Structure formats: C-alpha cells, structure tokens
C-alpha cells in the first residue's frame, strides 16, 4: 500500500455531531419473507459527513483481538456508512479498497455516490478500517519515517549496499516486534475476515453483500470461505491470485509493472510532438533510465533520488490517468533541466506521510503473517537479481518493500484454500493488462468459485476498473448488485463477458490542468501496492 495520489477525503470532519436513531434492520436474506426484520443493530451512528461525502455516518465496533478467545482482549474497528433510502432494502454492502492497510471509510461515500442512484439507494453502503488501520485502535506505525527521502538507491550497487538494505528491512521488522509484539500474531487476513462477521452481527444482518478491490478481493474470498452462508452477493474487482500468496504474487508483479512502464514509454513516444523525448518507445525508456542515473548522482531538490523516482512513477502502473502528469515532469527534467515538476510529482504521487506509515505497517504485518516467506536472504538475492535482469523498473524497489518479511517476528500461517462451491454466483472483474493483480489471478479465482462469472476488460491496464468511467463494466456491476444475476458465457474462452478498455489519456491541455475524473477519485482512495 503506497501513497494515495490525488485528493484524499478525511472522514473525521463531523457535521453537527448528530446521533442517529437506528431502526430495526430489514433482513437482506432473499430466502426470508419480504419485510421480516433482522436483529436490531448494536451500533451507534453519528454524522461525520465531509464536503465530498456529506451523507456519511460513523460508528465503531469492538472485536476480539484473538478470535479463538472471544472474551479476551478487545480492539476497535472504525466503520462508516451511507444509509439506504429505498423501500426495497437489500441490506448492508461492505466495501474495501485493498492494501492490506487501506482505509475504507471514505470508500463508502465514493461507492454510494458512484453507483446508479436506484442501486445505491437499496443498500447501506458500509466502509471500515480493518484491524490496525487508520481510525481503528490500535493503529500500527512501526517505524515512522521509514520512507523518508532520500533513501538508498533501491538497486544495490554491490554487496555492501545490499547488506545495508537488508539491515533497513531487519530494523523495520524488529521495530514492529518491539512496539506491537502482543498484536502482530493477530494481524492477518483470516482474523480480518472474522472481524467482518462481527460487523455483520453488529449491523443486524443475516447476510452481507461485499464489494472489494485489489487485496479486498482476497479478504472477500477468505470471508466467503469461512462464512459462505453469510454471503448474499460478492463482487470482486482486480483479483488477487489466491494461489500465489504472497511471495510468488510479488514476483509476478515485478514483470507486470515493467510491462506497464514500457506501455507508458510507448504512450510518451506516440506524443513526441508534445514531450520531445523521441518517437521510439525504447528511446523514451532509455531516457527515463538516464534520468534515474542522474538522480542517483544528484537527487532532484534534495528529495528525489532513484528510489523516490520509482515511487513516483509506480502509480502510473496502476492508473494511466496519471501518465500526462508524469510525462510532463519527465520532459521538464530531461529537456528543460528543470527538476521542480519532478519534485512536485514526487510530493503528489510518491511521498509518504503518517497515514502511509500506518498503511505500510499493516501491509507488512498482514503479508508477513499470512504465509511463508523465504528466511534465507540468499533466496531473495538470487530471485530478485534474476527478475531484475528481465524487468528492472521496480523489482528491487518491490523487494525492499517486502523484505521485512524475511525477518518478521511472528510465525507464519498457512493461507486458506478459498475454493468454494457453497456461494451464490459471484461477480469477478479483471483487466487483461493489470500489473498489480495480473490477469491470471482473476482467471484462477473464477475457477475456484463455483458458479462465478468473470467480466474482462480487454486491453485494459488499470487496477481498479469499476466505478472508474467504463460504462460497460459499471453496468455489469450495477445489474449484479440490483438483481444478483451474472452474465453467462461470451464465447470468448473463460470470460463470461468482455468490455473494451477505455482509450488512453491525452496529454494535458495548454493550461496544464485536467478536470477531475471518477478514475482519479477512485485511485486516490485505492492507493498502491495492492
């Protein structure tokens, strides 16, 4: 989970502190008689609307730190919601932006405001900060400033530099163990999934619907495996490969992000009249690596060295709407010898603040606990140098991001098998060129979830593809949430339906600003690194 580029929407600004009266929740169980009431919610909701999401309400719920000891120590999860307004109430729709480590409080407002009004009105759209995240308590922050600029070059220049990188990773893991040793054994996906069932009960719902992006797809699949009878609808966008958790998935990302960086270079080359960096993609890519080397010798503005440059351009692998801004900074540095736009791009796309420190702490806590990672650094060394030779853009940057898992102070769990034949039809949505969750993950989960449907964005390279401007994809999502029906069979292999990708963006207009889009709003909430 990386810096969230674009505008972030804080949920903390309350409106009048109003406490809402909570009526009995209507059952969302379609097997029940219409109108039958479920248990009364145990939550107290207060108004916490923002300028962007004025209808938001907030609450909190206590969950066991250790679900095997439900009467033991309790921790707190922060919740948000936008209430239903339609008479046809379909129950709660829980939403998650991914991570692990992503806050979902504002996502509730975004989803409620982006779905067709008739569909959103039928749900209580509920966001949440998973255990350890954001407004939940305790919120992790293992080593504040771990990503402060200027970090060492992510690509080791020799054995000494690699040892220094290992030392930084070990220090982060040790700091986490020292500060949160009593909590870390319970920061994992299975525990977070069990939290969702506590939330379900607190909401007074017999069943929940769930809509997750990125890592949120894995969290949803795990919840569905643990509590299949509690799932009403399950929509998963940009699907994590559940067979590669987590070391293998990160290696796959390295290759995929290198391909997306090449796609960015090709886009810049197509607009050579604007950027003057060459009409040959290979020439453009070579210029980017020359810029990287120049920054190694002299960081731009004393802030942007090679590692920070990678942090700045990695978001372009998640969302091509950032390409025009990144290309402007690239061209200014190379052609005009002006580092100021690059420094500005770093501040917007790559720099980390306290919320990012929290997100990264939870990211490592979950991924390092969830599954086995190599303990022998020799394995990391060999694997990452092998991949770097083929995919140099972000391989070592990603290696150091995950390297604390080689030294994590807890034991490792075995990832659950999320194969499931007890669910109602699930809807999976996947872009063919997604770098963060490559296409094979969506295809794999489609095979594992009996009765699921796979909607493919052909040629799409963005991560997080619904409610981002593609009307075809949005129609499938809205129809599913409204009716529970999924498409069946496109005649195109494993896909049940295919949507064309949106066109690539255009360069910025002469005033060098672009109107905000739903895509940029969504990707500001999803963040990076899953």
């Amino acid at each position: 989970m990386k810096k969230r580029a674009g505008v972030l929407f804080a949920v903390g600004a309350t409106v009048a502190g109003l406490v809402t009266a909570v009526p009995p929740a209507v059952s969302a169980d379609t097997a029940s008689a219409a109108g039958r009431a479920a248990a009364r919610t145990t939550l107290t909701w207060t108004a916490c609307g923002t300028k962007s999401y004025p209808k938001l309400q907030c609450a909190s719920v206590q969950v066991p730190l250790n679900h095997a000891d439900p009467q033991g120590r309790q921790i707190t999860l922060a919740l948000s919601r936008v209430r239903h307004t339609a008479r046809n109430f379909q129950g709660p729709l829980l939403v998650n932006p991914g991570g692990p480590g992503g806050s979902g409080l504002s996502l509730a407002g975004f989803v409620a405001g982006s779905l067709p009004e008739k569909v959103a009105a039928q749900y209580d759209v509920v966001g949440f900060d998973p255990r350890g995240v954001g407004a939940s308590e305790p919120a992790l922050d293992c080593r504040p400033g771990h990503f402060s600029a200027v970090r060492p070059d992510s690509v080791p220049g020799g054995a000494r530099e690699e040892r220094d990188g290992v030392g930084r990773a070990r220090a982060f893991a040790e700091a986490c163990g020292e500060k949160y040793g009593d909590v870390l054994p319970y920061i994992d996906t299975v525990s977070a999934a069990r939290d969702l069932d506590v939330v379900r009960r607190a909401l007074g719902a017999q069943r929940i619907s769930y809509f997750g992006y990125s890592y949120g797809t894995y969290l949803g699949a795990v919840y569905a495996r643990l509590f299949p009878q509690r799932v009403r609808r399950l929509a998963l966008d940009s699907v994590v490969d559940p067979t590669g958790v987590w070391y293998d998935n990160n290696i796959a990302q390295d290759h995929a992000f290198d391909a997306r960086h090449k796609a960015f270079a090709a886009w810049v080359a197509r607009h050579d009249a604007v950027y003057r960096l060459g009409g040959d993609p290979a020439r453009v890519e070579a210029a980017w690596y020359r810029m990287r080397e120049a920054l190694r010798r002299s960081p731009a503005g004393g802030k942007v060295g090679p590692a920070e440059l990678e942090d700045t351009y990695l978001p372009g692998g998640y969302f091509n709407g950032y390409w025009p801004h990144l290309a402007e900074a690239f061209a200014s540095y190379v052609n005009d010898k002006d580092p100021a736009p690059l420094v500005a791009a770093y501040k917007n796309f790559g720099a980390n603040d306290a919320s990012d420190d929290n997100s990264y702490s939870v990211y490592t806590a979950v991924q390092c606990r969830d599954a086995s990672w190599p303990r022998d650094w020799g394995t990391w060394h060999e694997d990452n140098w092998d991949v770097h030779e083929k995919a140099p853009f972000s391989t070592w940057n990603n290696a150091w991001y995950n390297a604390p898992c080689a030294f994590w102070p807890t034991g490792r769990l075995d990832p659950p098998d999320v194969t499931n034949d007890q669910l109602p039809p699930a809807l999976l949505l996947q872009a063919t060129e997604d770098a963060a969750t490559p296409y094979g993950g969506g295809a794999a989960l489609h095979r594992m979830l009996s009765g699921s449907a796979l909607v493919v964005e052909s040629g799409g390279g963005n991560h997080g593809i619904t409610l981002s401007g593609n009307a075809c994809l949005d129609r499938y999502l809205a129809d599913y949430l409204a009716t529970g029906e999924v498409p069946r069979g496109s005649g195109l292999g494993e896909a049940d339906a295919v949507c064309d990708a949106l066109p690539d963006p255009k360069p910025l207009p002469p005033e060098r600003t672009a109107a905000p889009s739903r895509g940029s709003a969504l990707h500001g909430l999803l963040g990076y690194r899953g």
Side-chain angles (χ1 to χ4, degrees):
M1 191 76 184
K2 272 277 197 174
K3 172 74 177 178
R4 293 168 180 78
V7 180
L8 297 182
F9 308 104
V11 179
T14 59
V15 179
L18 176 67
V19 178
T20 62
V22 183
V26 177
S27 171
D29 191 336
T30 54
S32 302
R36 191 179 71 182
R40 181 179 294 271
T41 177
T42 60
L43 300 173
T44 300
W45 294 96
T46 61
C48 59
T50 67
K51 182 178 180 180
S52 298
Y53 307 122
K55 296 180 181 179
L56 277 177
Q57 300 174 330
C58 293
S60 63
V61 62
Q62 289 196 320
V63 300
L65 174 64
N66 177 5
H67 282 279
D69 181 17
Q71 303 307 314
R73 178 181 172 184
Q74 304 291 298
I75 59 176
T76 301
L77 303 186
L79 309 177
S80 66
R81 76 169 178 183
V82 176
R83 291 195 68 192
H84 73 284
T85 56
R87 292 181 61 86
N88 179 28
F89 176 41
Q90 299 210 47
L93 171 65
L94 273 64
V95 297
N96 181 270
S103 169
L105 299 183
S106 292
L107 187 65
F110 175 85
V111 170
S114 299
L115 286 169
E117 185 176 355
K118 286 184 178 180
V119 177
Q122 297 176 33
Y123 286 95
D124 283 349
V125 182
V126 178
F128 58 97
D129 279 357
R131 53 175 56 204
V133 175
S136 293
E137 297 176 357
L140 307 189
D141 189 350
C142 295
R143 195 170 184 242
H146 183 73
F147 288 99
S148 296
V150 173
R151 306 197 309 277
D153 188 342
S154 58
V155 180
R160 180 176 179 179
E161 288 83 354
E162 190 170 340
R163 284 196 300 272
D164 289 345
V166 169
R168 289 187 78 250
R170 189 191 301 271
F172 186 90
E174 290 176 350
C176 256
E178 290 170 3
K179 292 179 73 171
Y180 303 111
D182 58 335
V183 173
L184 291 185
Y186 310 105
I187 306 295
D188 60 88
T189 299
V190 169
S191 294
R194 293 190 181 281
D195 289 344
L196 296 187
D197 210 55
V198 177
V199 173
R200 176 195 62 77
R201 296 196 301 271
L203 291 169
Q206 294 182 17
R207 296 195 292 172
I208 61 169
S209 297
Y210 179 94
F211 174 37
Y213 291 95
S214 192
Y215 164 78
T217 67
Y218 183 62
L219 177 60
V222 171
Y223 177 80
R225 175 66 177 185
L226 296 175
F227 304 100
Q229 73 281 9
R230 298 303 183 185
V231 176
R232 187 165 183 270
R233 289 177 190 153
L234 183 67
L236 306 177
D237 180 331
S238 303
V239 179
V240 166
D241 186 346
T243 69
V245 174
W246 289 110
Y247 186 77
D248 290 345
N249 280 352
N250 276 279
I251 294 294
Q253 281 185 338
D254 296 336
H255 292 283
F257 274 109
D258 196 79
R260 286 306 289 163
H261 190 59
K262 286 178 167 59
F264 166 68
W267 180 86
V268 172
R270 289 197 299 274
H271 297 286
D272 184 47
V274 177
Y275 301 118
R276 298 179 292 119
L277 290 165
D280 177 8
R283 179 180 170 186
V284 173
E285 190 176 22
W288 191 89
Y289 282 103
R290 286 196 300 273
M291 176 173 66
R292 187 189 189 284
E293 175 60 20
L295 294 171
R296 186 183 64 81
R297 296 191 299 268
S298 179
K303 290 289 187 182
V304 185
E308 290 74 29
L309 181 73
E310 292 160 350
D311 292 349
T312 302
Y313 281 77
L314 189 66
Y318 286 81
F319 178 50
N320 63 8
Y322 299 144
W323 287 0
H325 304 277
L326 297 173
E328 290 274 338
F330 181 12
S332 294
Y333 184 89
V334 172
N335 295 328
D336 304 329
K337 314 303 179 188
D338 181 4
L342 187 61
V343 173
Y346 165 67
K347 290 179 179 178
N348 191 32
F349 297 111
N352 284 260
D353 58 19
S355 68
D356 302 304
D357 287 344
N358 166 242
S359 294
Y360 178 63
S361 296
V362 177
Y363 172 95
T364 50
V366 171
Q367 293 217 348
C368 299
R369 174 68 169 149
D370 262 3
S372 293
W373 293 75
R375 287 288 195 178
D376 179 3
W377 184 257
T379 301
W380 294 70
H381 170 93
E382 181 176 349
D383 288 348
N384 283 283
W385 278 119
D386 285 349
V387 176
H388 176 82
E389 289 299 314
K390 306 176 187 70
F393 168 59
S394 63
T395 294
W396 273 106
N397 186 296
N398 196 32
W400 296 126
Y401 200 80
N402 291 282
C405 292
F407 312 104
W408 204 246
T410 69
R412 317 301 173 90
L413 300 174
D414 293 325
D417 178 0
V418 299
T419 300
N420 207 322
D421 61 2
Q422 302 181 58
L423 295 175
L427 182 69
L428 314 182
L429 305 111
Q430 184 70 42
T432 58
E433 312 305 317
D434 182 356
T437 53
Y439 176 80
L445 189 61
H446 180 36
R447 293 189 294 269
M448 297 170 79
L449 299 185
S450 178
S452 65
L454 176 64
V455 177
V456 172
E457 187 183 42
S458 179
N462 289 340
H463 177 68
I465 54 176
T466 53
L467 307 185
S468 188
N470 189 317
C472 175
L473 294 169
D474 291 353
R475 185 168 59 252
Y476 282 111
L477 175 64
D479 288 350
Y480 174 68
L481 292 177
T483 68
E485 296 180 1
V486 297
R488 288 297 180 201
S490 66
L492 298 173
E494 60 203 348
D496 293 285
V498 177
C499 295
D500 292 333
L502 296 175
D504 282 339
K506 296 179 180 179
L508 294 176
E511 61 270 22
R512 295 297 184 260
T513 58
S517 67
R518 273 206 294 154
S520 60
L522 172 64
H523 287 84
L525 295 171
L526 297 190
Y528 313 128
R529 301 283 188 179

